[in-house]
Amino acid sequence: MWEKHPGNPNRRRNVKMTAIRRLLFTGTVAAIGGVSFFLLGLPLPFLLGAMSATALLQTLRSDPLPAPQGVTQFAQSLIGVSIGCSFSLSFYQSLIGLAVPLIVYLLSVMVLGLVSGILLFKLSDLDGMTALFCCVPGGASEMISYSEAYGADSRIVATYHTARIVLIIVSMTFLAPWLAGSPSAGSTAGGAGNSLDLFAFWTPVLLVIGTLAWWLSTRIRFRAASFLLAVLLGVIGNGVLFHLDKAPLTFTMIGQMLLGISVGSKFDRATWIRIVRLGKTMMLVMMFTLLISLGIGYLFYRVTSAGLVTSLLATIPGGAAEMATIALTLGCDVTLVATIQMIRLFTMFMVAPGMTIWLGRRLAARETEGKG
């Protein structure tokens, strides 16, 4: 996060303190953005407000400071604990009945990613490998790492995935409440059932559990460790100790703001320049992916007993923590949403890179033959 100066301890300390002050300032701006969106009556104000304010700050800065990976992981831990408090273990008894729709869904979303990648390749000047990695409906950080390892332009891949996630967050934040027929104005992922005495006691306790989950994720490393460990600890803690219907409002507000900072900090001037460069092509392909994803979610709803909004949030290729947060806000089946999102991420991590690399090399070979 900051430069090391081994020969000058004072300078190293000054650089570290400067970075900390800038992060605190970013947090203050994000909090102002969250409160502003809340006062304006916008949906998910502490997520969207913090994200928008941080993105604006990063764009205005001449030397932007991306949020450290630890901030993202800690945000995922807090969101995971919130979800754990609303988890229903009885869901897993009916999971076997969803096996066939789930397999069809995973195959469909994988094909959608490949088709979107080929479409982006055909309509832009990007090479095949970069275009395909842009459109893999998997975890952004994993796809960025893979793209760099196999010669794709990781900056474009990072920009595309960031823009995709933001587009889905914003779209579902407004679309899901409208479909659910529930008032979205000023809604946060808390729940009206939480009384004020919960704010005074359970919020610090849940923060400790979230911190523990984050610390464990730095020691026990696997995909989405911070999120999954937090969900697990939240389920155990709520079953043994809390017995809450939902996590306290203040706790979920903190998680949403940190998640907003994490996403918003990726939008600096260089990112906007790359977005402008791809322009209409990027938006066209992302809108194509979004609309087809909504169609897949609707079909999932038609063949299962899940509700429409729950099905859409569970199947759309957005972030697991982000979609689960929206589900939590609207009182949807957050267990189903989080479970299917995580299954998608793990499946894409295991299968999609190999297919992407194979197809990317074939596209590169055809392009070379065409030029020859």
Side-chain angles (χ1 to χ4, degrees):
M1 184 174 67
W2 45 71
E3 294 182 50
K4 293 184 177 180
H5 301 277
N8 192 334
N10 290 331
R11 185 178 179 188
R12 185 169 65 249
R13 191 181 304 110
N14 290 337
V15 169
K16 183 183 295 188
M17 291 305 299
T18 299
I20 291 173
R21 283 195 295 269
R22 293 184 68 190
L23 284 174
L24 290 174
F25 180 71
T26 300
T28 302
V29 171
I32 293 172
V35 172
S36 299
F37 273 46
F38 177 79
L39 295 175
L40 290 172
L42 296 175
L44 254 68
F46 295 100
L47 174 60
L48 289 185
M51 182 178 72
S52 302
T54 304
L56 177 60
L57 178 63
Q58 289 288 88
T59 303
L60 296 176
R61 278 174 165 166
S62 58
D63 182 22
L65 180 68
Q69 185 63 22
V71 172
T72 303
Q73 293 171 341
F74 187 60
Q76 291 173 345
S77 294
L78 298 187
I79 296 295
V81 172
S82 295
I83 292 167
C85 289
S86 302
F87 238 55
S88 171
L89 295 179
S90 61
F91 159 77
Y92 293 100
Q93 298 174 359
S94 60
L95 186 59
I96 297 176
L98 292 174
V100 174
L102 188 55
I103 291 172
V104 174
Y105 156 68
L106 292 172
L107 291 174
S108 300
V109 78
M110 196 176 303
V111 171
L112 173 60
L114 294 176
V115 171
S116 298
I118 293 173
L119 184 63
L120 182 61
F121 169 69
K122 295 291 187 181
L123 296 178
S124 69
D125 59 353
L126 297 178
D127 63 272
M129 197 73 78
T130 298
L132 288 168
F133 271 113
C134 281
C135 298
V136 174
S141 58
E142 288 81 10
M143 294 308 111
I144 294 167
S145 298
Y146 271 119
S147 68
E148 193 167 9
Y150 287 94
D153 190 335
S154 59
R155 296 169 302 174
I156 296 294
V157 174
T159 299
Y160 190 95
H161 277 281
T162 301
R164 170 181 63 85
I165 290 172
V166 169
L167 174 65
I168 291 175
I169 291 173
V170 173
S171 299
M172 295 310 296
T173 296
F174 289 92
L175 178 62
W178 177 71
L179 290 174
S182 62
S184 62
S187 63
T188 58
N194 291 313
S195 55
L196 291 177
D197 60 326
L198 293 179
F199 298 172
F201 181 73
W202 290 124
T203 294
V205 175
L206 292 176
L207 282 171
V208 170
I209 292 177
T211 303
L212 175 61
W214 170 76
W215 180 82
L216 287 174
S217 71
T218 64
R219 301 297 188 272
I220 308 172
R221 297 185 180 275
F222 56 89
R223 297 300 154 191
S226 56
F227 182 71
L228 288 179
L229 288 172
V231 171
L232 178 61
L233 291 180
V235 170
I236 294 173
N238 198 44
V240 174
L241 183 62
F242 315 134
H243 306 295
L244 303 174
D245 293 328
K246 294 181 180 179
L249 176 62
T250 49
F251 177 76
T252 55
M253 283 165 47
I254 296 170
Q256 286 184 22
M257 276 199 288
L258 288 176
L259 197 60
I261 291 171
S262 172
V263 176
S265 69
K266 295 178 174 63
F267 279 86
D268 54 18
R269 293 179 189 177
T271 300
W272 287 114
I273 290 172
R274 286 191 287 270
I275 289 175
V276 170
R277 175 196 157 195
L278 291 172
K280 295 180 180 178
T281 301
M282 173 185 277
M283 286 305 302
L284 175 65
V285 176
M286 284 196 297
M287 289 303 299
F288 168 78
T289 303
L290 175 63
L291 293 174
I292 300 298
S293 296
L294 292 173
I296 293 173
Y298 177 76
L299 292 176
F300 189 87
Y301 154 70
R302 296 292 296 179
V303 301
T304 66
S305 59
L308 174 59
V309 177
T310 297
S311 297
L312 294 177
L313 291 172
T315 57
I316 198 165
E322 291 85 346
M323 295 304 103
T325 297
I326 298 175
L328 200 62
T329 303
L330 298 176
C332 298
D333 188 345
V334 69
T335 309
L336 177 65
V337 172
T339 299
I340 292 182
Q341 286 285 350
M342 293 309 301
I343 290 174
R344 173 184 62 82
L345 289 176
F346 276 105
T347 302
M348 294 303 112
F349 172 74
M350 296 298 294
V351 179
M355 294 182 60
T356 301
I357 293 163
W358 173 79
L359 184 56
R361 286 172 176 170
R362 286 182 64 87
L363 290 176
R366 288 187 180 181
E367 192 175 21
T368 302
E369 290 174 5
K371 290 180 179 179

